[in-house]
Amino acid sequence: MPVRRVLAVFAALLAAVGLATPAAAGDRHGGGLAGQHSLRSPVTDESFYFVMADRFANGDTGNDQGGLGADPLVSGFDPTKKGFYNGGDLKGLLSRIDYIRGLGTTSIWLTPSFKNKAVQLEDGPSAGYHGYWITDFTQIDPHLGTNQDLRALIDAAHGRGMKVYFDIITNHTADVIGYEGSARRGYVSKDAVPYRTAAGAPFDDRDYAGKASFPALSPATSFPYTPVLDPAEQNLKVPAWLNDVTLYHNRGDTTFVGENSYYGDFFGLDDLFTEHPRVVAGMTDIYKTWIRDFGVDGFRIDTMKHVNDEFWQKFGPEVLDYAHRHGKREFFMFGEVFDTTKSFTSHFTTADKMQAVLDFPFQDAARGFASRGQAAGQLATFFAGDDWYTDADSNVYQLPTFLGNHDMGRIGHFVTTDNPGAGDTELLARDRLAHELMYFSRGNPVIYYGDEQGFTGAGGDQNARQTMFASQVADYLDDDLLGTAATHAQDNFVAGHPLYQSISSLAALTRAHPALRDGAQVHRYAADGPGVYAFSRLDRRDQREYLVALNNSEQAQTAAIPTYAAGRGFQRLYGNGPAHIKSTADGALTLTVPALSAVVYAMDGRVPGSKAAPKVTITGAAPADGARGRMHVTADVAGSSFYEVAFYAQTGNGQWRPVGVDDNPPYQVFDDVSDLRAGTPVRYKAVVLDNRDHTATSAARTAAVPAPLVSIETPTEGSRVRGSVEVRAVVDPERATHTVAFERRIGGGAWTPIGSDTTSPVYTVFDQLPADVAADTPIEYRATVREPNGTTATSQVRRVRSAGPQATVATLHYLRPAGDYGDQDTGWGLHMWGDAVDPAVLAQVAWDNPWPWTRIEGGWAEYEIPLAQDTQPVNFIMHLPAGDSVPDTREPGGDRSFLPINSPEVWIVQGDPTVYTSRPPA
């Protein structure tokens, strides 16, 4: 193990047990609290290569069909189709391991490699080449090789100083369970049909989550749908406990929002009952085995946000402890939380005790800066929010950062679509700029296989899963690659590709200068618009400042950037510019950064030492915006050098507990107080540690834990309602002990109770409106949460209006300025689906036969859509018959919809994805 990593591990262990090196000077206000260094976990300096084994290299053509025969609908192997196995395997990966290592890779991350259901006919059909349809969690998928092949790959990686990470799933298995009456069904909420014990008594599973006991369940009585297995598949899953249908939620397909985001099946995939202790224990045992028997170095965890908190609070610490006890001191787990809101994504590393999550917010910010040319100040705002992740045992420095992936699409696709008409030189420069931002800023960079060869693709999912070996897929053969004249008709393992060379040099530079990987990151400068964004990286041991400046404008930009030292020389390590430059008397370094590029300079010598610790003051402690269970605590330091600020909290007369350490301004933490009762006083202090180990401690500041925040989700503000109205609320922070009561008033009259709910995580009642309410009458709803200690909080009022009679026809107006709608048989038409549209209409609609326009009035084509029910959305795509190419034969915007009860008449315009509820300017 490198000496630097040994030191990092040692420091992390000291910090974790509260033994971080205290400062030499006594604290100014007493209290005995120690200054601490910002935590660096053992994994803050990895460079990941994320690879889909089936799409990388074919080392053994004998396993292409997985032993299932030549029929693609049985074996799943068809190298001409992007939704089927294409032939890559673990032996292929092993044969190209030095190509991966040449990028500077320290860790290979494999998509799930367990045995999959080879084909799911309901899904396209398509195959399980991606690894997310697992049937056997104990063996490698035969299409990819054997368990022994995995052992050989891990041994080879370890022999080269690299680690191997497994992509794992705890949320679901393959689609094996069906329901009586239909294989796949729509979601049924817990409020509509609660879970029942085997004896038939209703119960809320959240009352038992995280506990050792759980009510006995029965397939016949416990679920809204009766789960069934095909006789041939009753023992298909391994381990055997996975064949117990009562260990799944069995509520139908998710729509990925609200309650069903936790309980619904992903496109039919069997959603595990992760609140059940048998599932928690079973999943924990499965993944312990791969650590023990194969030496896997870590896990990327799929669909983390769709699993309940109690699962992670048990699974994460237990698996990590097991890995440590089996010699894996650097074992590391990070989860997929597909969201760009830090208050939400950080919940899994703080309250849920997991080590890290994939940094989706970074991906969004990096694309905005490098590809879309957004204002540099947006990056400053983004990085200022990093302290959402700061707690006593983790922080933002250990998050894996990335630019694109197998679900959303590649960075090459983003720069191409964000910059229509740009030449290859510009597109390559923007792609490189995104990688420079990722490698030079905090976090562990992830390269998605093929990005180093300029792969682009036509979007996400299957369109972003090209083979590195010569492809036979027509859709892939059409792709343009950046930085090369090569196509997907040939192997693409070219070490001389400009992006391969760039990434390799970035990895080498950050390896030679470790502060660029896990040193403190300090904001320095941001242009008002597109232009220079600059930050410093600084290792607390070496105290050498590295200045990174990136320019996302299309012209060279000059900026005076602050540093920690006046009159000090800096040498250029990366990019174009003077080889040496000197800071001014006020510490500024004036740099000219070329267009769409980056420069890095390193200070000569160390940052000047501090003579005494500066004064530190707690300046605020209040409920955080966006997370009611977090307290936003801020501190001000009266100095301008490098400092680390440790925050502490005390409840009642208890011990002061460490909250976390921030090593860059603005100094702040977001303390998790969700387990404390509303009104509980919490005291906060801050201890500043300067760069010569002097400390000073702030005076205490007291804040009260706020009451929870209850919010009504549905009905939507301003919408129209009739008949039975679903009124749904959520509470932050969420507790299984909440009771939420709902009230309604009509036309400004008295508030009337309409019911209450104790079923978490979403609280719902169904309000039956009087039949005689006139159209457009104002209706208001509010919800009040009550906790066991008597604390109450009431939501804002949700205002809607009563609807008139059921609409029988909706009208969509479509404008093509040139009037080129075509005739009714072959012109632009609507592909539609869903429960809103009259079934007789849907029976006529096909991809090659869209619903035609009714008339053309005033230059607009009008499409009259007969309705079955106006309370459901009309889902539509505007396109030419069989056309699927945006914008020539299909309008942009993907799958669009509108709700007829709110807007029975809508307008769309050529090239504009917006669905307007009033006529826009032509």
Side-chain angles (χ1 to χ4, degrees), residues 245-313:
V245 296
T246 68
L247 296 179
Y248 298 83
H249 283 133
N250 298 320
R251 307 202 73 90
D253 279 359
T254 182
T255 63
F256 304 97
V257 296
E259 173 191 298
N260 71 56
S261 179
Y262 293 96
Y263 291 87
D265 298 336
F266 275 48
F267 305 104
L269 298 175
D270 302 344
D271 201 67
L272 281 157
F273 214 143
T274 48
E275 294 79 6
H276 198 298
R278 181 67 186 91
V279 174
V280 180
M283 279 291 154
T284 303
D285 289 343
I286 284 171
Y287 294 118
K288 284 180 178 179
T289 300
W290 289 96
I291 298 170
R292 181 187 68 236
D293 295 348
F294 292 87
V296 172
D297 298 291
F299 297 140
R300 177 269 194 186
I301 306 171
D302 185 58
T303 56
M304 178 177 277
K305 76 173 185 178
H306 301 288
V307 175
N308 57 296
D309 292 345
E310 296 84 359
F311 179 93
W312 301 124
Q313 291 162 358

Side-chain angles (χ1 to χ4, degrees), residues 618-650:
I618 296 286
T619 53
D625 292 336
R628 195 71 166 180
R630 308 279 290 273
M631 196 69 74
H632 185 195
V633 187
T634 57
D636 180 71
V637 177
S640 58
S641 188
F642 174 68
Y643 308 116
E644 296 171 277
V645 177
F647 291 85
Y648 292 86
Q650 181 190 48

Side-chain angles (χ1 to χ4, degrees), residues 48 108-110 114 164-170 283-292 294-302 304 312 315-316 319-320 322-323 330-336 354-358 400:
F48 286 93
I108 300 171
W109 156 19
L110 295 172
F114 304 117
V164 176
Y165 281 71
F166 251 29
D167 201 322
I168 68 169
I169 304 169
T170 64
M283 279 291 154
T284 303
D285 289 343
I286 284 171
Y287 294 118
K288 284 180 178 179
T289 300
W290 289 96
I291 298 170
R292 181 187 68 236
F294 292 87
V296 172
D297 298 291
F299 297 140
R300 177 269 194 186
I301 306 171
D302 185 58
M304 178 177 277
W312 301 124
F315 178 89
V319 170
L320 186 60
Y322 183 87
E330 293 191 3
F331 194 84
F332 182 57
M333 291 179 285
F334 55 98
E336 178 209 29
M354 297 301 294
Q355 290 169 283
V357 292
L358 272 169

